[in-house]
Amino acid sequence: MRQSTCLFFLLLLFLSFSTKGQHHTKLKATVNWTAKSLYVAQEINFNNDSGDTLKTIVLNDWNHAYSDLSTPLSKRFSDEFYRGFHLSKKEERGGTFNLSIRDTELQEMSWERLNKKPDVIEIQLKKPLLPGENLIIQLNYLAKIPSDRFTGIGYSAKKMNLKNWFLSPARYENHAFTKNSNANLEDIANALSSFDVMLKVPLNYAVTTDLKSLKKDSDNSATTYHLNDDNRTDFSLFIEEKSSFTNYKSDLIDIHTNLKDNAIDPIQKAIIIDRIAHFAKNEIGSYPHSKITVAQSDYEHNQFYGLNQLPSFLSPFSNEFIFELQFLKTFLNNYLKNTLRLDPRKDNWIYDGIQIYTMMNYIDTYHPDSKMFGTISKIRLLKSYNLINLDFNDQYSYFYMLMARKNLDQPLGDPKNTLIKFNEQIASKYRAGLSFKYLNNYLKEAIVPKSILAFYDLNQRKQTNDDDLISILKSNTTKNIDWFFETIINSRKLIDFKFDLVSTTNDSIRFSIKNKTNVFVPVPIYGTKKGAVVFSKWLDIPKKPDTIYSIPRENAEKIILNLNNEVPEFNLRNNWRKLNGFFPNNRPLKFVLLKDLEDPYYNQVLYTPVLGFNVYDGFSPGIRFHNKTILNKPFTFDMSPMYSLKAKTFSGSGFFVVNENYRESRLYNVRYSLGASYFHYAPDATYLRLNPMVQMQIRGRDFRDNRKQLLVFRHVMVDREKSEIVVDNSMLNYSVFNARYINSKTEITNHLSFSTDLQLAKEFGKTSVEIDYRKLFRGNRQLNLRLFIGRFLYNTSTGSDFFSYALDRPTDYLFDYNYYGRSESTGFFSRQFILAEGGFKSKLDTPYANQWLTTFNASFNIWNWIELYGDAGFVKNKGTQAQFVYDSGVRLNLLTDYFELYFPVRSSNGWEISQRNYNQKIRFVVTFDPSKLINLFTRKWF
C-alpha cells in the first residue's frame, strides 16, 4: 500500500513537472470543405512563466501570411522568382478573418497586427500579467486555408495539409517575444503548449495526425475527432477523402507515412522504417511522443538534393536506397522539429547539424561502401573521374565548397531567413553536419554524440538555446573548443593550410605549416606509404607563425594535411608533400572528357567537343580545352580551337581569368581576364579581337538582396581584314577603351536596372545611359519600359557610320553581340534582333546617329506571351535637325531574351503590315547559349 502511494505521488510530481510552464490551448474547429476553411473557437490559457511582468502578449498567425500580395511571404516568393502566388486568384490565398479576441468576461481585448508583419498579432493587456499568473484568452475566427501549390501546405482537390493554421503564443526569450514572420521556412517559434482539439470534418473524410487520438464521434453529416497531447510547439494534421498514410508500429513509436516508395517490397520498407527509428533513438534520444508523421509534402519542402533526383530509369540507386534516404531525412527533420525547444530560425544550425551528422553516421553504419554516383561508380570506363570515385558522404563537403568558391557562403549561426536559398536548403545545412563531424574527429571519445544525447534530454525538460549546447560540449572535454563556435559556426572565415618547410631523416620529419588565412583551428596530418596510412595525429595550430613540428617518420613516403577532408578547407591542392624525389609537389597531367570535380593530386585539363556557327564560317566543329571543374578556381583558362567547314580555315576563341575574392568587403570579387577571338565577320574577311578586362562585382551586406552592381574596365583591340563585299572598310584596325557601370535589382514582380557606358578611342568618344524597368501586375500583365540616351563627346570618323549609334541594328564594332550574320544587310540573318542602343524593330530611313540618340521602348502583354510594343525617339546627325521616329507592332515573347518574334505594324515608314515583302520586316531573337538558359532555372538559388 505504501509502495503504491509513493508511486502515485511520484507520478503526480512527474506530471506536474512535465507540464509546468506550458500554455494550454483548446481548439474547436469545423472544416468547411467547400470554402476550404475552418471555423475556429479557441481558448488559450496563457501561463506567464517568464519571470517578467508582461504588458502585451504576442500570437503567431502564420496562416495570415497568405492573405495579401504585400506580406513578407509574398516578398520572399518574388525574391526567389516564384510567380505562382503573385498570379493566384483571391480564393486560392489564405488568411485569418473575422477575428475576435476576448477575455474571460467576454470583453473585447485591444490587439493589432504588427507593421510589416501582418501574421504576428500583439494583444494589449488591460492590466499587467505578473510572473506565475495565468490569463485565459477566447478567440473566434475563420481560418481560410491556402492552396497547397504555393508551399505544399494547404488544400488540394481531395486533401488538406494543415500546418500553422491556428493562433499560438509566440516563444518568449531574453525578456521579449519572438516576432518572426512566415518566410516559407517551416520555422515558426511557438511557445510550448498542451493541446486539446475537437476537429469536425465532413463524413467519410479521414484524419491523420501526430497528436494522440482519444476518440471519434459520427452523426449523419460529420465526424468529430478528439485529439490531445502535451509538450508541443505545433502539430501536423492531414484531412483526406481517403487516407494515403500507412501506419507502422514499432516498439518505440507509431509512425504514419505516405512517402512515395516506388513499389518497394512492404516487408523491406517496414525493416527500413524500424531501423531508422531505432537509429534515431540511439543517436539523438528517445522520442517523447507516441506518434510521428512522415509526409510526402514534408519531404518535398526539404528534399535530399543529389543524384536520387534523377528519373527512375536513369537513377544509379535502387528504389530501396532512395526511399531510405528520403525517409531518413524527413523522419529526422520532423523528429527534431517536434522535440527541440529552440528558436528554429535563430538556432537553425543546431537542427541542421544534428540532422546531417546523424545521416552521415547512418550511411557509415549501414552503407559504408556506397558512392556518390551509386552503381555508376562500378563502370570501368568512368573510374578515372574523381567525381565518380567519391564516397557518398563526401558530397556534403563539395556542396558547401561550391558556395565558398563562389564567395557566397554564409555563417552557420546566421538566422535562417537571412540565408540565400542554396545555403538554406543545401550548403549551410551540409556544412553544419560536417562541422559536428569535424569536432567529433578532433575531440574523439564520442564527445559529440554524448553531448547531443545530453542536449536532447535537456530539451525535454526546458526551453533551450545554443548556449545550452555550447555549455554541454565544453563540459564534456578538457580541450579548448572556443575556435569551433567563433570560427566554424559564427563566421565565414576560410580555412587553408599548406606545408612550408619540410625536411626528413630516416626516422623523423620536421616541417612548418603556412596558415594562409590566419584562422587558428586544429588540422590532422597523415603519413602514407603506397596509399596506405602509416600514422595520423591532430595538430593544434598556434598563432606563432614559425612553429616547427617534429614527428616520427614511420617509413612514410608522403605527408598530407586533412587527407579525409575532416576540416572544411578551401583548397586541398596544396595539402601534401612527397618526402622522396626532386619534385615534392609535382602533379601529373590528366586529361578528362566533359566535366569532373577538382582532383588535388593532378593537373586536370578537361576537353569537350564543341560546334560553333555563323553565316560566314558555317558550322565549325572543334575541341574546348579548359580547367574549369565544378568548383570555381582562382585561375582558369578556356581555349576552343575550331575548324570552319565553310571557309576551310581555323578559327576559335579563348580566355584566361584570374579571380580574386574579398570576404569582408562590399567589393566581393575582382576578375582579371584576357580574351581573344578569331572568326569571319564577312564571307571574305576575318577579324581578331583582343580584350583585356577588369570586372568588379559589388554587393550589399544582405546576401538575399537581389541588387547587383558591376564595374567593368576593358580595352578592346580589333584587327579586321579588308573585305571586298562589305561596303564600309574605313575602320579596319582600332582600339577602344570602355568603362561600364551596371546597377540592377531583379525579382519576379519588379526589375529595375541602370547602366552607364563610356567609350574612348582615337576616332571618337561617346557616353550613354540605359534604364530598364519591368513590372508584373496581378492579372499576369507585364509592362516593360526602356530608356536609352547616347551622345558623342567627339567624332572624327566622318563619312562612316561604323561607330555611330544604331536605331535598330548596331554595327557591333566591339564584337560583343552574338550575331549569326553580322555583316548581312538583306536576307534572313539581317533580321536578327538584339536589344541594344536604339532598340527599334523596324528598319527606318535614318538608321544611325553620329551626334546623339534618345529612344524609349515599351511593351505590354495582352494575353500570355502576346505583347504590343512601341518605340519612339529622336535621331540627331551632324548638319541636320533632330528627327522624330517611331515604330510599333506585335511581339511574341515565347521566352524572354531567348526566343522572340517581332511583327511590325505601324512606323515612320507608314503601315508596314500592308507593304510589300512584309516577311522581310519580321525580326527574331534566338539564343543558343546554354549558360544563359541555365541561369533561368538557377537564379532562384543564388
Side-chain angles (χ1 to χ4, degrees), residues 65-69 71-88 93 146-153 182-185 301 421 704 706 746-749 940:
Y66 297 91
S67 62
D68 191 78
L69 301 182
T71 64
L73 178 63
S74 178
K75 177 66 166 58
R76 191 171 183 98
F77 285 144
S78 183
D79 286 346
E80 294 182 354
F81 300 94
Y82 172 67
R83 65 167 59 199
F85 187 73
H86 187 82
L87 300 178
S88 63
R93 300 194 289 270
S147 168
D148 67 357
R149 71 185 183 93
F150 308 134
T151 64
I153 297 171
N182 188 349
N184 189 29
L185 298 172
H301 196 274
K421 187 172 182 178
R704 285 193 57 85
N706 286 339
T746 303
E747 57 188 54
I748 202 66
T749 55
K940 67 179 180 180

XYZ file of all heavy atoms in Angstrom, residues 65-69 71-88 93 146-153 182-185 301 421 704 706 746-749 940:
374
model
N -0.219 35.001 -43.436
C 0.829 35.397 -44.382
C 0.381 35.210 -45.822
O 0.950 35.811 -46.744
C 2.098 34.589 -44.120
N -0.645 34.386 -46.039
C -1.153 34.122 -47.388
C -2.276 35.087 -47.778
O -2.886 34.912 -48.835
C -1.693 32.691 -47.465
C -0.663 31.621 -47.245
C -0.422 31.117 -45.966
C 0.068 31.090 -48.300
C 0.517 30.123 -45.743
C 1.008 30.095 -48.089
C 1.234 29.619 -46.807
O 2.163 28.630 -46.595
N -2.548 36.081 -46.954
C -3.743 36.893 -47.150
C -3.588 37.973 -48.201
O -4.576 38.464 -48.746
C -4.145 37.552 -45.822
O -3.110 38.428 -45.369
N -2.357 38.355 -48.507
C -2.161 39.530 -49.352
C -0.863 39.391 -50.132
O 0.015 38.603 -49.774
C -2.127 40.799 -48.479
C -2.207 42.061 -49.319
O -3.310 42.421 -49.761
O -1.153 42.665 -49.546
N -0.729 40.188 -51.182
C 0.467 40.157 -52.018
C 1.556 41.092 -51.530
O 2.568 41.272 -52.218
C 0.103 40.494 -53.466
C -0.919 39.566 -54.129
C -1.145 39.981 -55.575
C -0.466 38.114 -54.068
N 2.693 40.814 -48.147
C 3.247 40.245 -46.918
C 4.711 39.850 -47.118
O 5.179 39.706 -48.255
C 2.446 39.004 -46.489
O 2.604 37.992 -47.498
C 0.967 39.331 -46.307
N 5.461 39.658 -46.019
C 6.844 39.171 -46.162
C 6.930 37.845 -46.919
O 7.895 37.618 -47.648
C 7.312 39.021 -44.710
C 6.491 40.001 -43.940
C 5.148 40.018 -44.615
N 5.925 36.983 -46.774
C 5.929 35.725 -47.511
C 5.842 35.970 -49.010
O 6.569 35.366 -49.807
C 4.771 34.843 -47.051
C 4.611 33.504 -47.773
C 5.825 32.616 -47.548
C 3.336 32.797 -47.329
N 4.956 36.877 -49.415
C 4.827 37.207 -50.831
C 6.116 37.806 -51.374
O 6.535 37.505 -52.493
C 3.672 38.190 -51.022
O 3.556 38.570 -52.377
N 6.759 38.651 -50.570
C 8.023 39.261 -50.986
C 9.090 38.180 -51.176
O 9.887 38.234 -52.131
C 8.481 40.261 -49.922
C 9.823 40.916 -50.181
C 9.790 41.809 -51.410
C 11.004 42.723 -51.487
N 12.302 42.020 -51.504
N 9.101 37.184 -50.313
C 10.098 36.126 -50.449
C 9.856 35.308 -51.710
O 10.793 34.917 -52.410
C 10.088 35.225 -49.213
C 11.284 34.278 -49.174
C 11.373 33.566 -47.843
N 12.559 32.712 -47.789
C 13.708 33.040 -47.225
N 13.857 34.229 -46.672
N 14.722 32.194 -47.211
N 8.585 35.026 -52.016
C 8.271 34.347 -53.271
C 8.837 35.123 -54.455
O 9.429 34.545 -55.373
C 6.766 34.202 -53.432
C 6.135 33.142 -52.569
C 4.882 33.323 -52.026
C 6.793 31.959 -52.305
C 4.290 32.356 -51.238
C 6.218 30.976 -51.518
C 4.962 31.176 -50.976
N 8.642 36.429 -54.444
C 9.113 37.262 -55.550
C 10.634 37.265 -55.624
O 11.215 37.195 -56.706
C 8.582 38.692 -55.391
O 8.962 39.500 -56.479
N 11.296 37.345 -54.467
C 12.761 37.341 -54.434
C 13.330 36.066 -55.037
O 14.420 36.081 -55.616
C 13.258 37.471 -52.992
C 13.085 38.878 -52.444
O 12.829 39.791 -53.244
O 13.194 39.046 -51.217
N 12.605 34.963 -54.880
C 13.088 33.674 -55.365
C 12.469 33.297 -56.709
O 12.469 32.128 -57.095
C 12.823 32.597 -54.305
C 13.639 32.822 -53.041
C 13.434 31.749 -51.994
O 12.560 30.878 -52.190
O 14.150 31.782 -50.978
N 11.906 34.285 -57.402
C 11.432 34.148 -58.778
C 10.320 33.113 -58.917
O 10.243 32.390 -59.902
C 12.594 33.829 -59.729
C 13.655 34.898 -59.743
C 14.766 34.818 -58.922
C 13.513 36.005 -60.557
C 15.726 35.821 -58.924
C 14.466 37.016 -60.561
C 15.571 36.920 -59.747
N 9.445 33.079 -57.904
C 8.255 32.243 -57.989
C 7.055 33.162 -58.206
O 6.751 34.006 -57.351
C 8.080 31.419 -56.709
C 6.754 30.680 -56.658
C 6.494 29.645 -57.552
C 5.770 31.033 -55.751
C 5.279 28.978 -57.524
C 4.555 30.370 -55.710
C 4.313 29.345 -56.593
O 3.110 28.690 -56.582
N 6.387 33.019 -59.350
C 5.305 33.926 -59.690
C 3.925 33.373 -59.370
O 2.928 34.064 -59.509
C 5.360 34.308 -61.171
C 5.137 33.164 -62.148
C 4.892 33.688 -63.561
N 5.994 34.479 -64.057
C 5.898 35.336 -65.066
N 4.725 35.506 -65.684
N 6.929 36.018 -65.476
N 3.860 32.100 -58.951
C 2.573 31.458 -58.728
C 1.700 32.184 -57.724
O 0.491 32.350 -57.933
N 2.284 32.648 -56.614
C 1.488 33.325 -55.590
C 1.029 34.689 -56.083
O -0.112 35.095 -55.857
C 2.305 33.479 -54.304
C 1.509 34.014 -53.146
C 0.582 33.215 -52.503
C 1.683 35.318 -52.703
C -0.156 33.700 -51.423
C 0.951 35.812 -51.641
C 0.028 35.002 -50.993
N 1.884 35.407 -56.770
C 1.538 36.743 -57.257
C 0.403 36.691 -58.270
O -0.421 37.614 -58.342
C 2.767 37.398 -57.885
C 2.560 38.834 -58.264
N 2.671 39.862 -57.357
C 2.239 39.413 -59.452
C 2.425 41.007 -57.962
N 2.173 40.759 -59.237
N 0.341 35.616 -59.044
C -0.678 35.497 -60.082
C -1.888 34.680 -59.621
O -2.770 34.390 -60.426
C -0.068 34.847 -61.330
C 1.104 35.603 -61.971
C 1.633 34.834 -63.169
C 0.702 37.014 -62.382
N -1.929 34.332 -58.342
C -3.012 33.481 -57.847
C -4.321 34.257 -57.732
O -4.349 35.493 -57.655
C -2.637 32.920 -56.473
O -2.491 33.965 -55.527
N -5.767 32.074 -52.055
C -4.952 32.545 -50.952
C -5.665 32.304 -49.624
O -6.870 32.088 -49.576
C -4.619 34.026 -51.142
C -3.843 34.293 -52.426
C -3.233 35.668 -52.434
N -4.217 36.724 -52.575
C -4.627 37.220 -53.727
N -4.157 36.731 -54.861
N -5.521 38.202 -53.772
N -4.881 28.193 -47.600
C -4.387 28.487 -48.951
C -4.255 27.223 -49.787
O -4.233 26.099 -49.266
C -3.022 29.116 -48.689
C -2.567 28.458 -47.420
C -3.805 28.259 -46.587
N -4.132 27.411 -51.081
C -3.842 26.296 -51.976
C -2.458 25.736 -51.657
O -1.528 26.491 -51.345
C -3.897 26.756 -53.431
O -3.362 25.777 -54.288
N -2.307 24.433 -51.772
C -1.008 23.833 -51.470
C -0.006 23.969 -52.613
O 1.136 23.517 -52.481
C -1.171 22.358 -51.078
C -1.637 21.480 -52.239
O -1.900 22.016 -53.340
O -1.766 20.260 -52.048
N -0.410 24.601 -53.703
C 0.539 24.732 -54.818
C 1.628 25.767 -54.535
O 2.640 25.809 -55.228
C -0.188 25.083 -56.121
C -0.762 26.471 -56.223
C -1.551 26.618 -57.524
N -2.087 27.958 -57.730
C -1.461 28.912 -58.414
N -0.274 28.661 -58.941
N -2.006 30.104 -58.570
N 1.439 26.595 -53.507
C 2.448 27.603 -53.183
C 3.620 26.998 -52.411
O 4.782 27.224 -52.740
C 1.839 28.741 -52.362
C 0.597 29.343 -52.961
C -0.517 29.592 -52.186
C 0.544 29.655 -54.310
C -1.662 30.145 -52.732
C -0.596 30.207 -54.876
C -1.705 30.451 -54.081
N 3.304 26.241 -51.377
C 4.352 25.725 -50.490
C 4.222 24.235 -50.198
O 5.076 23.670 -49.514
C 4.331 26.463 -49.142
O 3.089 26.185 -48.482
C 4.475 27.961 -49.337
N 3.158 23.582 -50.687
C 2.895 22.204 -50.307
C 2.024 22.105 -49.077
O 1.540 21.023 -48.719
N 1.788 23.216 -48.399
C 0.919 23.275 -47.224
C -0.381 23.949 -47.631
O -0.368 25.036 -48.213
C 1.586 24.053 -46.080
C 2.861 23.331 -45.633
C 0.637 24.234 -44.905
C 3.699 24.118 -44.665
N 6.209 34.577 -41.327
C 6.288 33.378 -42.142
C 7.101 33.656 -43.400
O 6.776 34.560 -44.175
C 4.866 32.935 -42.519
C 4.824 31.588 -43.208
O 5.844 31.040 -43.595
N 3.625 31.049 -43.374
N 8.162 32.881 -43.611
C 9.009 33.049 -44.800
C 9.132 31.733 -45.558
O 10.112 31.523 -46.273
C 10.387 33.564 -44.404
N 8.141 30.845 -45.398
C 8.135 29.542 -46.068
C 9.358 28.727 -45.680
O 9.970 28.046 -46.502
C 8.073 29.713 -47.587
C 7.842 28.395 -48.310
O 7.229 27.481 -47.762
N 8.334 28.289 -49.533
N 9.730 28.800 -44.409
C 10.889 28.075 -43.915
C 10.510 27.024 -42.881
O 11.390 26.329 -42.355
C 11.903 29.054 -43.297
C 12.489 30.103 -44.239
C 13.309 31.120 -43.468
C 13.335 29.443 -45.315
N 9.261 19.670 -49.337
C 9.651 21.006 -48.876
C 11.118 21.058 -48.486
O 11.722 22.119 -48.450
C 8.779 21.416 -47.685
C 8.819 22.880 -47.390
N 9.782 23.457 -46.594
C 8.023 23.897 -47.803
C 9.568 24.754 -46.522
N 8.512 25.047 -47.236
N 18.842 30.855 -50.813
C 18.146 29.569 -50.858
C 19.102 28.383 -50.916
O 18.882 27.360 -50.255
C 17.181 29.535 -52.045
C 16.295 28.305 -52.050
C 15.212 28.375 -53.105
C 14.325 27.155 -53.053
N 13.229 27.211 -54.047
N 20.736 38.123 -49.437
C 19.486 37.813 -50.124
C 19.023 38.957 -51.020
O 18.120 38.772 -51.840
C 18.391 37.484 -49.114
C 18.527 36.102 -48.484
C 17.258 35.740 -47.758
N 16.113 35.779 -48.646
C 15.726 34.778 -49.437
N 16.413 33.665 -49.456
N 14.663 34.893 -50.194
N 18.639 41.068 -54.040
C 18.895 40.755 -55.446
C 19.551 41.901 -56.212
O 19.655 41.841 -57.434
C 17.585 40.376 -56.147
C 17.117 38.991 -55.743
O 17.903 38.187 -55.277
N 15.845 38.721 -55.897
N 16.573 42.664 -59.437
C 15.611 41.852 -60.167
C 14.892 40.903 -59.231
O 15.517 40.248 -58.391
C 16.319 41.023 -61.260
O 17.022 41.904 -62.128
C 15.313 40.226 -62.065
N 13.586 40.854 -59.350
C 12.760 39.836 -58.720
C 11.630 39.546 -59.682
O 11.550 40.138 -60.754
C 12.271 40.284 -57.344
C 11.505 41.592 -57.385
C 11.203 42.115 -55.999
O 12.126 42.262 -55.190
O 10.017 42.393 -55.741
N 10.731 38.656 -59.304
C 9.738 38.218 -60.270
C 8.716 39.298 -60.583
O 8.182 39.365 -61.682
C 9.031 36.931 -59.787
C 8.410 36.187 -60.979
C 7.984 37.227 -58.742
C 9.395 35.654 -61.958
N 8.432 40.183 -59.644
C 7.400 41.197 -59.870
C 7.964 42.524 -60.344
O 7.242 43.312 -60.960
C 6.586 41.432 -58.586
O 7.469 41.778 -57.517
C 5.818 40.175 -58.209
N 17.008 31.496 -58.783
C 16.290 31.485 -57.506
C 17.156 30.910 -56.381
O 16.868 31.121 -55.206
C 15.007 30.672 -57.629
C 15.214 29.181 -57.846
C 13.890 28.445 -57.936
C 14.099 26.948 -58.155
N 12.806 26.225 -58.252
